[in-house]
């Protein structure tokens, strides 16, 4: 279904539109959420919250500012980061058993598979190493721009500029 038609359907709040939205985007949004949160149950809860936010806020989507998927991806990413930073979530993570940390020992190649789930790894691989590093920190590890600045030991303004330039370069590659 084309984006414009889906948006019109969503604005009409039809049950069919929600089903189409979920069927077309749940797997890729879940992959992004899980990549940040690393817990299946928590990722499923956040995914549900994301779809409720999308449904309730579809009127705020502006087609001239970007694609629907990008808008939804930002909602998913921001909701997940909010969850990770919440006091309740942090307290719940303090007394977990060792079983919950198995993902730390996963083969690093599986990270590529999770990125592939949203279909952009082939484009990211074509970017400059600095762009790959910034995108990895900001979008796949959930760093804020300030945290990325500290991690990379470069000024915040430089991170912001490089992020914008890298995203523009990625956008150009995807639209070719």
């Amino acid at each position: 279904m084309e984006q414009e038609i889906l948006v019109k359907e969503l604005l009409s709040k039809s049950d069919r539109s929600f089903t189409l939205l979920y069927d077309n985007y749940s797997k890729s949004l879940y992959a992004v959420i899980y990549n940040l949160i690393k817990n299946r149950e928590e990722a499923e809860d956040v995914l549900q919250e994301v779809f409720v936010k999308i449904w309730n806020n579809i009127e705020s989507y502006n087609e001239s500012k970007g694609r629907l998927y990008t808008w939804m991806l930002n909602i998913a990413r921001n909701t997940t980061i909010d969850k990770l930073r919440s006091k309740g979530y942090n307290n719940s993570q303090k007394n977990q058993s060792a079983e919950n940390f198995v993902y730390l020992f996963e083969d690093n190649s599986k990270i590529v598979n999770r990125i592939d789930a949203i279909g952009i790894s082939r484009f990211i691989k074509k970017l400059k190493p600095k762009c790959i590093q910034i995108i990895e920190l900001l979008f796949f590890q959930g760093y804020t721009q300030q945290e990325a600045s500290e991690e990379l030991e470069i000024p915040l303004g430089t991170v912001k500029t490089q992020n914008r330039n890298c995203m523009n370069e990625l956008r150009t590659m995807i639209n070719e």
Side-chain angles (χ1 to χ4, degrees):
M1 175 175 278
E2 290 188 31
Q3 176 178 306
E4 296 83 24
I5 296 169
L6 180 58
V7 171
K8 286 178 185 176
E9 287 279 329
L10 288 169
L11 288 169
S12 73
K13 300 289 187 182
S14 71
D15 293 341
R16 177 179 173 262
S17 65
F18 187 82
T19 302
L20 288 169
L21 179 74
Y22 189 84
D23 289 348
N24 288 314
Y25 295 102
S26 62
K27 288 180 183 176
S28 59
L29 292 178
Y30 177 82
V32 171
I33 294 166
Y34 183 81
N35 192 40
L36 293 170
I37 224 163
K38 308 281 193 260
N39 178 299
R40 187 181 57 79
E41 291 86 15
E42 293 286 341
E44 289 171 355
D45 288 345
V46 172
L47 181 65
Q48 182 177 358
E49 187 178 338
V50 166
F51 275 100
V52 169
K53 284 183 178 183
I54 292 167
W55 183 257
N56 290 334
N57 297 302
I58 189 64
E59 293 83 13
S60 68
Y61 168 67
N62 184 342
E63 191 174 321
S64 68
K65 290 185 179 181
R67 297 177 53 212
L68 177 65
Y69 179 72
T70 306
W71 180 75
M72 292 188 307
L73 186 62
N74 284 328
I75 291 173
R77 186 177 157 276
N78 292 340
T79 303
T80 306
I81 291 170
D82 289 347
K83 177 74 170 184
L84 289 170
R85 291 185 179 158
S86 72
K87 186 178 259 185
Y89 180 81
N90 288 327
N91 288 338
S92 74
Q93 300 302 302
K94 288 182 181 174
N95 294 319
Q96 290 189 350
S97 68
E99 294 170 10
N100 293 327
F101 295 96
V102 171
Y103 71 86
L104 293 173
F105 302 108
E106 289 179 341
D107 180 11
N108 283 340
S109 67
K110 291 184 181 177
I111 292 171
V112 173
N113 293 334
R114 285 195 299 267
I115 294 170
D116 275 339
I118 61 172
I120 62 169
S121 75
R122 64 187 167 128
F123 296 108
I124 291 174
K125 288 177 185 175
K126 294 178 184 177
L127 294 172
K128 294 176 262 180
K130 188 56 111 177
C131 286
I132 294 171
Q133 189 176 29
I134 287 175
I135 289 172
E136 174 68 27
L137 290 175
L138 295 177
F139 294 95
F140 297 110
Q141 292 183 21
Y143 280 51
T144 64
Q145 290 180 337
Q146 180 64 46
E147 291 167 340
S149 166
E150 292 165 5
E151 176 74 20
L152 298 172
E153 297 177 350
I154 58 176
L156 177 60
T158 303
V159 169
K160 290 179 178 184
T161 300
Q162 288 181 349
N163 179 40
R164 183 178 54 249
N165 292 341
C166 293
M167 294 311 291
N168 285 337
E169 187 176 332
L170 185 60
R171 188 175 296 115
T172 300
M173 274 193 258
I174 290 172
N175 290 327
E176 288 180 348

